[in-house]
Amino acid sequence: MAGVSVGIAGFGYLASRDAGAGFIVMRELMGSVLFSFALLAVVNYKTMLYTGTAGFVKKGEMGRLALILLGNIIGCLLVALMARLSPMPLQQTAQGVLELRLSTGALDGGILSIGCGFIMTTAVTFARKGNNLPLMIGVPLFIMCGFPHCVADAFYYLAAPLAFWQAHLGEILLFYASIVLGNFVGCNFYRWLMGSNPE
């Protein structure tokens, strides 16, 4: 597990160096740090997030986890509707994110999303013990690595133009299913390899 943790940090380091130089890297880093707001809000308000819950579910709670994901998607839809009213070109930006995701392919996207689940469970485990610093580091890490997060991606999907949906519906659904599964695997990596909850 220590090697996996260091490997993920190394992945983030390489991704940040490969992103280019100057303003583009700073913009990406700033955007990923701002994304930490979401996880800080989730943990401190004790709301249910799919990737904040999946690593802690007990037997027989998969139905509850599916409802949490559905609720997360509905919440993303409400904000995506706001994004459609914005004078900024948010729909085109969301489409650009999704085009990059879909070019990865469902299998590779699902494998990459395992890293996001691993980071999320680690960050939430620390936060449940009163240490929010891993939230502030973990979220930028999975974003800089390009690890898909099924709830964040739901927002991008819902904010993208409807014409993009119509043209890529099958790809979108397959990719989304793969990252939901990949996030779940990553969230449960600790339990499956170490035989216990991360807590």
Side-chain angles (χ1 to χ4, degrees):
M1 291 308 296
V4 168
S5 300
V6 171
I8 286 177
F11 193 122
Y13 174 74
L14 293 178
S16 68
R17 289 185 57 93
D18 191 46
F23 178 72
I24 294 173
V25 173
M26 290 308 296
R27 186 185 67 195
E28 289 293 319
L29 188 57
M30 184 180 74
S32 63
V33 168
L34 293 176
F35 222 107
S36 299
F37 166 82
L39 199 52
L40 286 167
V42 164
V43 169
N44 287 288
Y45 288 132
K46 296 182 171 45
T47 59
M48 297 286 109
L49 178 69
Y50 175 83
T51 51
T53 307
F56 306 95
V57 293
K58 298 177 177 66
K59 261 189 176 176
E61 291 185 334
M62 293 305 288
R64 177 175 164 262
L65 187 61
L67 284 175
I68 289 169
L69 180 59
L70 178 61
N72 293 165
I73 293 169
I74 291 169
C76 286
L77 174 62
L78 297 175
V79 182
L81 292 173
M82 290 171 47
R84 291 179 181 280
L85 302 175
S86 173
M88 294 180 281
L90 299 181
Q91 290 185 57
Q92 287 70 32
T93 305
Q95 178 176 325
V97 170
L98 292 181
E99 286 171 346
L100 184 61
R101 289 279 202 258
L102 295 179
S103 72
T104 305
L107 178 61
D108 291 349
I111 292 169
L112 287 170
S113 67
I114 292 171
C116 175
F118 179 86
I119 292 167
M120 290 292 291
T121 297
T122 302
V124 170
T125 298
F126 276 90
R128 287 181 173 193
K129 296 175 181 176
N131 183 356
N132 285 337
L133 183 60
L135 299 178
M136 298 297 295
I137 297 169
V139 173
L141 177 59
F142 83 70
I143 291 172
M144 292 302 292
C145 289
F147 296 159
H149 183 282
C150 63
V151 180
D153 277 29
F155 171 73
Y156 302 141
Y157 285 27
L158 296 167
L162 293 177
F164 182 79
W165 267 85
Q166 292 168 342
H168 301 281
L169 182 61
E171 285 178 89
I172 288 171
L173 295 177
L174 181 60
F175 188 86
Y176 192 72
S178 75
I179 65 171
V180 169
L181 178 60
N183 283 168
F184 181 81
V185 170
C187 287
N188 287 282
F189 211 62
Y190 287 101
R191 298 203 262 204
W192 295 343
L193 290 184
M194 298 174 70
S196 64
N197 264 345
E199 297 180 306

